[in-house]
Amino acid sequence: MQAVAEALRTARHVVVFTGAGVSAESGIPTFRDALTGLWQRFDPAELATPEAFRRDPALVWGWYEWRRARVLAAQPNPAHRAIVELAGLVPRLTLVTQNVDDLHERAGSGGAIHLHGSLHAPRCFACARPITGLAADLREPQEGRRIDPPRCAHCGGPVRPGVVWFGEELPTQALEQAFDAAQSCDLLLSVGTSGVVYPAAQIPRLALQAGARVVHVNMQPVEVGGAREMSLVGAAGELLAALVERVKAADGASHSHPS
Ligand code: NAD
C-alpha cells in the first residue's frame, strides 16, 4: 500500500481503469464472480448479442431493463468516491471504464471514457438514432421478465440498449482516447476487472509496455509480470479509500516539512 501511495503521490498522469468490480459494493452484480456473477445464471449468447436481440427482443430488453432498474436503485460506493477524490490530488487523472452504469458520474467523476456504452443511452436498432425519455422511475422489473422494447418515433424500429454487445465494435473515439491515455500515463490503476474482455483488457498491458507502473486492485490476486506491476487484494472501496488517505497524509507531511 505504501509503495502504491508513494507512486500515486509522485505521478503526473494517472489512469484509473475500472470494471464491474468497482460497482459490486453498490450491489450491482458483476459478470464473472462465482456466486453473484450474471453469467452464472444467464447465457451471454442469449442476451448480449445483436442476434439474440433479433431472435427475442422482449427477452433481451427485459433483461437490460432489469439491470437498469438495479442501477437506478443503487448508489455510488466508497470506490467511486475515492476516484473522485484522487482526481483532486494528482495533476491529471483519466478515468476509463468498461461499466455501463452511471455510478462514476453520480459520484462526481466528469469525463469518464465509457468503452462499452451505457444502459442509460438507448438507440434505435434500425436507424441508430438516440432515444430519450426512458422511464427513470422503473419499479424493479423481475429478473427474467420479458418486456417489449419501445419503438423509435422516427422509423418505428425497436429500441435497443446503448451498450456494446459481444461481436460489436467499441466506439472508436473512446478506444483511441483510452489507448492514448494508457500510453502516456505513469501509473495505471486497474480496478475490479477480470481482464478477459478484449480489446479493453489490452489497456493495462499497453501502459506497462509504455513504461508505466500498473497496480491491480481486485478481490482476487492478479498475476504480475515484473517490478512495475503490483497486485493489491481486497475490496475496491476499502483499498482505494485507504490509498487516498495515505496520499493525503503524505502530502500533508511534505507541506508541513518544506525542504
Ligand atoms: P467481470 O465481471 O469480468 O469481473 C469482475 C472483477 O471484479 C473480477 O475480477 C472480481 O474478482 C472483481 N471484483 C468483484 N468484486 C470486487 C470488489 N468489491 N472490489 C474489487 N474487485 C472486485 O467484469 P469486467 O472485467 O468489467 O468484465 C467486463 C464486462 O462486464 C464489461 O463489458 C462490463 O460492461 C460488464 N459489466 C458491467 C457492469 C456494470 O456496469 N456495473 C456489471 C456487470 C458487467
Side-chain angles (χ1 to χ4, degrees):
M1 284 290 278
Q2 197 50 43
V4 177
E6 191 50 32
L8 275 172
R9 213 176 64 79
T10 51
R12 281 156 299 145
H13 180 195
V14 175
V15 170
V16 182
F17 172 58
T18 64
V22 84
S23 296
E25 289 156 75
S26 296
I28 309 297
T30 66
F31 278 175
R32 289 184 181 77
D33 284 302
L35 293 174
T36 55
L38 293 170
W39 290 160
Q40 300 298 313
R41 289 177 286 139
F42 297 100
D43 178 359
E46 294 298 322
L47 295 162
T49 65
E51 294 72 34
F53 188 74
R54 250 180 234 112
R55 192 163 54 232
D56 194 343
L59 177 74
V60 173
W61 183 257
W63 188 63
Y64 279 95
E65 281 296 82
W66 168 69
R67 290 183 57 200
R68 191 167 71 88
R70 292 195 66 143
V71 169
L72 290 174
Q75 296 301 329
N77 69 54
H80 300 106
R81 289 196 289 273
I83 294 166
V84 177
E85 213 176 338
L86 187 60
L89 295 171
V90 297
R92 182 174 168 210
L93 184 143
T94 306
L95 175 58
V96 180
T97 188
Q98 298 166 86
N99 289 349
V100 293
D101 64 44
D102 61 353
L103 295 176
H104 283 305
E105 285 76 12
R106 281 202 268 143
S109 284
I113 299 170
H114 280 266
L115 291 177
H116 292 163
S118 165
L119 289 172
H120 310 281
R123 64 178 185 272
C124 176
F125 189 61
C127 73
R129 279 189 172 73
I131 307 287
T132 52
L134 276 193
D137 61 344
L138 272 185
R139 265 173 275 118
E140 190 162 321
Q142 280 158 12
E143 200 179 319
R145 195 176 127 210
R146 303 160 64 84
I147 302 174
D148 282 327
R151 293 272 153 185
C152 169
H154 178 78
C155 76
V159 174
R160 60 159 285 175
V163 303
V164 177
W165 279 330
F166 289 107
E168 293 186 316
E169 299 278 314
L170 273 64
T172 312
Q173 199 191 358
L175 192 60
E176 276 174 14
Q177 285 173 342
F179 281 2
D180 283 353
Q183 286 169 317
S184 67
C185 70
D186 30 36
L187 178 64
L188 181 142
L189 290 181
S190 174
V191 185
T193 173
S194 55
V196 297
V197 179
Y198 279 83
Q202 265 172 270
I203 286 171
R205 197 112 322 264
L206 283 179
L208 269 180
Q209 283 163 359
R213 293 186 207 189
V214 170
V215 179
H216 302 275
V217 175
N218 201 297
M219 291 295 267
Q220 307 293 331
V222 174
E223 203 178 314
V224 297
R228 279 190 288 109
E229 199 175 8
M230 287 173 262
S231 164
L232 294 178
V233 181
E238 248 164 68
L239 289 177
L240 293 185
L243 276 175
V244 164
E245 285 313 310
R246 282 184 190 234
V247 174
K248 285 194 324 202
D251 275 351
S254 68
H255 292 145
S256 60
H257 300 289
S259 50

